[in-house]
Amino acid sequence: MAAAHPISLTAAERHRLKKMAYGHKTPSQARCRAQIVLHAARGRSNARIARETGLHLDTVRTWRRRFAGQGLAGLADRKRSGRPHVFSALQAAQVTALACQLPAETGTPLSRWSCPELAREAVEHGITPFLSASTVRRWLAKDAIKPWQHRSWIFITDPDFRPKAERVLDLYARTWNGEPLGPDEHVISADEKTSIQARCRCHPTLAPGQARAMRVNHTYGRGGALAYLAAYDVHQAKVFGRCEPTTGIDPFMNLVAQVMSHEPYASSKRVFWIVDNGSSHRGKAAADRLTAAFPNAVLVHTPVHASWLNQVEIFFSVVQRKVVTPNDFTDLTQVGDRLRAFEDRYNATAQPFQWKFTTSDLDDLLARLDRHTADHPEESSFYLAA
């Protein structure tokens, strides 16, 4: 039998091997290999090393021989060919290209792709005889393609989008027609939150407990719906709200009267009312109607499809999260009482919203839209044709 390979270690190799042999985070295989070499460096035979380490004699002989021939590099695993590829790069690219098409373009009656549907479609198109959803998911993850998600967008249709938006943003900055607003001028943001339902759950809502979220019964009885109208003083962070059976001109004018009958608005020089283009306050007729009822009131419209410029929408999102959801009310009276109580609670501690979108940001947004239109003329031409 051939003699065991003699092992001689340098100080650096011995230090490295000891860290491998006794390190807490060292993988088990690397630890065993380092221990074999350290034992061999003390002049011990392969049989003795096998007995002391509990390893097979062939294992000891293999790693001793590798270290003698290659040093520390010989203790690493050799490269393995692995299992042959089941799918070619072309097949993966074809499935990825299929995911980048709308299902309607391939005649598939789906609105969006999912990984199982893409796998099924790839088999039906003859791209591959078999394919799993997990394989499709792995291929798409390489390019961060998520065809099951979607984002909505809309073209700017208002020809006066910039001047209208600029007026609103200037009011938030306490400016009107280039002149700063006086202390007796106020800015009100108003809108309606429609169809707040009273859903009476068939079983009582359970409070949260240890390792348990609040539980709300899914089944409910309908107790009707109401509209919540709110006027938000942008700079004073004060909310005036009211509940109405429905929206319309009269409910909105009731809200205006509720606000304008209070000080300091009743005696103010001007009170600017920022509203969207809803039917309750649309166009010049609504502006004339407001001025006729309250001469110091000025109606200011946001651009079409730009309700996000109206700060009261932020307050409505707070109401939705903190008051309405989850919806569990016995009747509409309880809904109204909860909304009015929340107004008092909100007004006691509210601070003005930190509105950061300025006219400079507006110009940047419009410039990006112009660049997008220039790069994708087919989208704008399709919109104009439609």
Side-chain angles (χ1 to χ4, degrees), residues 174 180-186 270:
R174 294 196 61 83
L181 299 183
D184 58 346
E185 295 178 301
H186 302 274
R270 284 183 300 189

Side-chain angles (χ1 to χ4, degrees), residues 253 256 260 284-299:
M253 292 305 296
V256 175
M260 299 301 291
K284 186 176 182 301
D288 295 339
R289 183 168 53 249
L290 184 69
T291 304
F294 303 97
N296 61 337
V298 180
L299 196 65

Side-chain angles (χ1 to χ4, degrees), residues 53 62 170 181 200 246 286 298 326 342 354 382:
T53 59
T62 297
D170 285 345
L181 299 183
C200 183
T246 184
V298 180
F342 178 75
Q354 296 182 2
F382 171 78

Side-chain angles (χ1 to χ4, degrees), residues 240 257-267:
F240 298 87
Q258 176 182 340
V259 176
M260 299 301 291
S261 61
H262 285 79
E263 294 294 345
Y265 311 104
S267 59

Side-chain angles (χ1 to χ4, degrees), residues 19 33 39 82 95 99 105 124 137 171 193 203 236 250 252 255 268 273 282 284 291 301 304 336 340 343 350 363 367:
K19 289 187 66 176
R33 297 167 190 176
H39 282 298
V95 173
E105 296 177 5
E124 291 182 355
R137 189 175 295 108
L171 285 174
K193 184 173 178 62
H203 297 278
Q236 302 299 322
D250 291 339
F252 177 72
L255 175 68
S268 295
W273 284 76
R282 180 187 302 161
K284 186 176 182 301
T291 304
H301 288 98
V304 177
R340 283 186 288 271
E343 284 178 25
D363 291 334

Side-chain angles (χ1 to χ4, degrees), residues 29-329:
Q29 289 181 335
R31 182 182 297 111
C32 291
R33 297 167 190 176
Q35 290 175 355
I36 290 172
V37 175
L38 289 173
H39 282 298
R42 298 187 183 102
R44 296 175 181 176
S45 65
N46 292 338
R48 181 179 175 182
I49 296 173
R51 287 195 305 270
E52 293 181 357
T53 59
L55 299 173
H56 195 276
L57 180 61
D58 290 342
T59 302
V60 175
R61 188 179 294 119
T62 297
W63 293 111
R64 183 170 187 161
R65 182 180 67 251
R66 286 198 190 178
F67 182 85
Q70 305 175 37
L72 288 173
L75 299 183
D77 289 333
R78 291 175 177 173
K79 291 185 178 180
R80 301 174 182 177
S81 59
R83 189 181 69 174
H85 289 291
V86 178
F87 304 101
S88 66
L90 176 60
Q91 289 173 318
Q94 288 175 322
V95 173
T96 303
L98 182 63
C100 293
Q101 292 179 319
L102 294 177
E105 296 177 5
T106 63
T108 306
L110 297 173
S111 60
R112 290 175 290 171
W113 288 119
S114 64
C115 290
E117 292 291 350
L118 280 169
R120 176 182 175 184
E121 195 72 11
V123 173
E124 291 182 355
H125 278 65
I127 297 176
T128 176
F130 60 91
L131 186 62
S132 67
S134 59
T135 300
V136 174
R137 189 175 295 108
R138 186 172 65 253
W139 288 346
L140 298 184
K142 292 181 180 178
D143 297 318
I145 299 174
K146 302 177 182 179
W148 49 87
Q149 296 182 357
H150 79 280
R151 296 178 63 183
S152 61
W153 51 273
I154 189 171
F155 280 104
I156 292 178
T157 58
D158 196 327
D160 299 322
F161 185 91
R162 193 196 184 287
K164 289 182 179 180
E166 184 179 21
R167 288 194 305 171
V168 174
L169 297 176
D170 285 345
L171 285 174
Y172 292 160
R174 294 196 61 83
T175 303
W176 179 253
N177 291 335
E179 298 292 333
L181 299 183
D184 58 346
E185 295 178 301
H186 302 274
V187 179
I188 300 292
S189 175
D191 201 2
E192 307 95 350
K193 184 173 178 62
T194 61
S195 189
I196 300 180
Q197 298 185 38
R199 297 178 177 178
C200 183
R201 305 291 170 171
C202 297
H203 297 278
T205 296
L206 300 179
Q210 185 176 6
R212 186 192 71 193
M214 180 174 63
R215 294 185 177 182
V216 181
N217 183 232
H218 180 72
T219 56
Y220 55 86
R222 297 181 183 274
L226 54 77
Y228 178 56
L229 290 76
Y232 174 74
D233 189 319
V234 171
H235 301 115
Q236 302 299 322
K238 183 174 178 61
V239 175
F240 298 87
R242 62 183 300 109
C243 297
E244 296 281 357
T246 184
T247 60
I249 295 176
D250 291 339
F252 177 72
M253 292 305 296
N254 291 338
L255 175 68
V256 175
Q258 176 182 340
V259 176
M260 299 301 291
S261 61
H262 285 79
E263 294 294 345
Y265 311 104
S267 59
S268 295
K269 177 182 178 181
R270 284 183 300 189
V271 180
F272 297 92
W273 284 76
I274 300 175
V275 296
D276 59 18
N277 293 273
S279 58
S280 303
H281 34 67
R282 180 187 302 161
K284 186 176 182 301
D288 295 339
R289 183 168 53 249
L290 184 69
T291 304
F294 303 97
N296 61 337
V298 180
L299 196 65
V300 180
H301 288 98
T302 63
V304 177
H305 300 314
S307 294
W308 53 272
L309 284 172
N310 204 343
Q311 285 197 23
V312 75
E313 299 292 348
I314 306 176
F315 172 73
F316 282 151
S317 71
V318 175
V319 171
Q320 181 66 36
R321 287 182 283 111
K322 295 190 175 184
V323 182
V324 179
T325 305
N327 193 319
D328 187 8
F329 301 98

